Amino acid sequence: MIFYLLNHVENAESLLIISTCNVNFFGRGERDYVEKMGARARRAGILDTLRVEKSVRTESLAERFNVSAMTIHRDLAELEASGKLNRVWGGARSVDSDFIERDVAIRRTTNKEIKTALAKEVRSLVEPGEIIALDDSTTAEACLRSLLETKPAGVITHSLHIMQEVSKVAPEVTLTGVGGRYVAATDSFLGNSSVRALESLNATVSIVSTTCITKAGLCHPDEDAAVTKTAFLELGARRILVSDSSKFANSGMHFVAKLTDFDHIVMDMNTTEEQRQQLESSGAQLHWVETPKPEPTVPTPFLLS
């Protein structure tokens, strides 16, 4: 099934495509909509396709977006010039990089036992009747069921999965779903449209996770994901970081937040002395959870090729 949301950004009409399953084609009715979309939205759609499929052919993109092959050639040239893809004979492929996050379907099955243990600790930090802002991390997803036991006054999220879960499990809870550009690889809405939608919202507590922890703080491999995560963090009067210790080994080029921005940090005990000292120097209240050592959460470069 495919849903369409029309969004006006900088006076240019763009079409946001929200896929609830793995769809690799458009029917005739969908093409009528796609034909109206501008270059900006079409190129965003190309990048979303690459995030999932890793490589695409010019002819299939032309059919998918109902434009000429020459139009797609121009799109690919523009995207390559900005460093967002590599053109190859007959199409394009995603940029090989250390800064690529695993697909959400893989992340949901990784370190599930650890996420469950961390979620129990997060639950103890939330009072009944709070307004909870949750980011699109699979760690935040793991916290959801226990957080709903606190009978929150509201939940704010940009994760499509969390929206669906809240509406199904706790329909009595006021749910605010933040839209924008849907990205299938993260099953969430990301980017400036999402950030602008948050400007009129407020939460008593923000709960976020991260892809990577560096000496600078939290980082992310994707720029749109980073700015959206930062905006969700800023919603809460209290801010909770929940993460497993494997994130210290990851890389991300886009800054999200400093560790000093958090009131609470929930993490497993499998850290080095240096990592522990870094967390202690943040000034946040630390909550250590005893768990097995987490598996790595981002593929090594040779697995990405």
Side-chain angles (χ1 to χ4, degrees), residues 149-296:
E149 294 173 0
T150 68
K151 306 296 183 183
V155 171
I156 305 170
T157 187
H158 60 126
S159 163
L160 183 58
H161 178 80
I162 291 178
M163 294 179 201
Q164 293 170 332
E165 282 292 298
V166 173
S167 64
K168 178 175 65 175
V169 176
E172 72 281 1
V173 174
T174 300
L175 171 64
T176 302
V178 177
R181 180 173 63 87
Y182 178 78
V183 179
T186 57
D187 195 24
S188 63
F189 302 90
L190 303 175
N192 289 328
S193 295
S194 302
V195 172
R196 285 195 293 272
L198 291 169
E199 292 176 355
S200 61
L201 298 175
N202 179 66
T204 59
V205 60
S206 291
I207 300 171
V208 304
S209 189
T210 185
T211 298
C212 133
I213 302 174
T214 70
K215 291 183 178 180
L218 276 58
C219 295
H220 200 283
D222 181 82
E223 182 177 9
D224 283 348
V227 298
T228 309
K229 193 177 290 284
T230 299
F232 261 86
L233 172 64
E234 293 174 349
L235 280 182
R238 299 191 336 279
R239 301 167 179 180
I240 300 173
L241 169 64
V242 52
S243 173
D244 68 69
S245 58
S246 72
K247 306 304 174 63
F248 281 102
N250 298 340
S251 298
M253 66 186 297
H254 300 286
F255 179 77
V256 175
K258 297 177 182 178
L259 289 172
T260 54
D261 292 331
F262 292 93
D263 301 291
H264 300 272
I265 297 176
V266 179
M267 185 172 290
D268 62 277
M269 300 180 67
N270 300 288
T271 55
T272 66
E273 183 60 30
E274 180 182 2
Q275 292 164 354
R276 184 179 289 266
Q277 289 177 1
Q278 181 183 354
L279 295 174
E280 289 174 348
S281 66
S282 70
Q285 185 174 345
L286 304 183
H287 305 265
W288 299 106
V289 180
E290 187 171 356
T291 71
K293 186 176 181 179
E295 298 178 19

Side-chain angles (χ1 to χ4, degrees), residues 56-103:
V56 292
R57 295 192 59 79
T58 301
E59 292 80 2
S60 65
L61 289 174
E63 180 180 0
R64 181 174 297 190
F65 296 107
N66 199 28
V67 295
S68 68
M70 185 58 67
T71 296
I72 295 297
H73 279 301
R74 289 194 294 269
D75 289 339
L76 297 182
E78 180 70 24
L79 291 169
E80 184 181 51
S82 59
K84 295 179 179 178
L85 56 74
N86 289 326
R87 282 192 295 171
V88 296
W89 182 260
R93 61 180 172 83
S94 58
V95 178
D96 290 335
S97 170
D98 294 358
F99 306 135
I100 297 178
E101 188 178 28
R102 278 180 168 178
D103 182 271

